[in-house]
Amino acid sequence: MTDLRPTDTAGEGQARPRAAFPVTRGREKGYDRDAVDDFLLRARESFEGRAAEPLTSWDVRHAAFALVRGGYAIDAVDSALGRIEDAFAAREREAEVGRLGAAGWVGRTRELAQEVLDRLSRPPGRRFDRVSVLRFGYRVDEVDLVADRICRYLESGQTVTVEQVRAVAFRMQRGGYREQQVDAVLDSVVEVMLAVS
């Protein structure tokens, strides 16, 4: 977990935990410091079993923060969130192995990997639903390039890292792929990669 240390005060002499991330300067924007600090505190409490509403690796993967001047450096926070997600995923994997047994867990992971491969093996341009020509979706050619690379990873073990999948970003185009579908499949890819790491 990211180290938390008191560096600011929150009125009346109360120490307020602040994460040890670099802060942006000038016009550069970063993640809202309060929102990041609150989320990291919640993640720590959840990981230690003290949270009223526990988090999962999915929650960590989908954490989002407003961009503000004087915020935390985006790359530093994203890197820390990746490590936190890995820790949650490892714990979830252990729980699943305990619940399903090793063979059941391997079978479940294989099924998910096969579902992803079946989706991404469709012909280019038809791997996901398209939005109408009046709306914007992910650029089809960019998504197809990433899909091809993930297929090679799943079929032959071509090197792709979890960080690369987490960091993928697509430009938008009219009539592009439906964002929610693409994002859901990328989430499944991350889940498979974390399950076998």
Side-chain angles (χ1 to χ4, degrees):
M1 297 294 291
T2 301
D3 182 38
L4 296 180
R5 60 185 180 161
T7 58
D8 286 355
T9 57
E12 310 250 321
Q14 278 188 312
R16 181 170 185 214
R18 279 284 185 207
F21 294 117
V23 175
T24 60
R25 303 280 180 227
R27 293 178 171 262
E28 185 182 3
K29 291 187 176 183
Y31 288 142
D32 180 275
R33 294 168 69 192
D34 289 336
V36 172
D37 291 338
D38 290 346
F39 184 82
L40 292 178
L41 186 59
R42 188 172 162 220
R44 178 181 292 266
E45 289 173 349
S46 181
F47 196 77
E48 293 173 351
R50 298 183 289 119
E53 295 180 25
L55 297 175
T56 66
S57 59
W58 188 93
D59 296 317
V60 177
R61 187 177 321 128
H62 291 90
F65 311 103
L67 294 175
V68 297
R69 287 186 183 172
Y72 286 137
I74 293 170
D75 289 346
V77 174
D78 286 349
S79 179
L81 289 175
R83 292 189 300 275
I84 293 168
E85 180 188 351
D86 292 346
F88 274 87
R91 178 175 282 182
E92 291 161 8
R93 180 175 59 233
E94 289 172 15
E96 282 294 292
V97 169
R99 188 174 70 80
L100 300 173
W105 172 78
V106 168
R108 183 186 151 297
T109 303
R110 279 191 182 147
E111 287 174 10
L112 180 58
Q114 189 61 55
E115 286 176 26
V116 169
L117 187 57
D118 290 346
R119 162 71 71 168
L120 299 183
S121 296
R122 293 176 180 179
R126 298 193 315 199
R127 288 175 167 141
F128 299 94
D129 290 343
R130 306 279 282 267
V131 297
S132 77
V133 293
L134 300 177
R135 297 184 55 211
F136 284 91
Y138 287 148
R139 277 195 54 158
V140 172
D141 58 340
E142 293 178 358
V143 174
D144 284 344
L145 282 173
V146 170
D148 289 341
R149 188 152 181 217
I150 292 170
C151 283
R152 290 191 296 272
Y153 163 78
L154 292 171
E155 291 173 331
S156 61
Q158 178 180 330
T159 303
V160 176
T161 67
V162 174
E163 289 74 25
Q164 288 172 322
V165 177
R166 284 177 178 147
V168 73
F170 305 108
R171 291 177 290 177
M172 306 297 278
Q173 74 173 72
R174 289 189 187 276
Y177 281 141
R178 191 174 303 280
E179 295 173 59
Q180 296 89 341
Q181 283 191 342
V182 176
D183 291 344
V185 170
L186 291 177
D187 283 345
S188 295
V189 171
V190 169
E191 186 178 336
V192 167
M193 296 175 87
L194 291 175
V196 299
S197 62

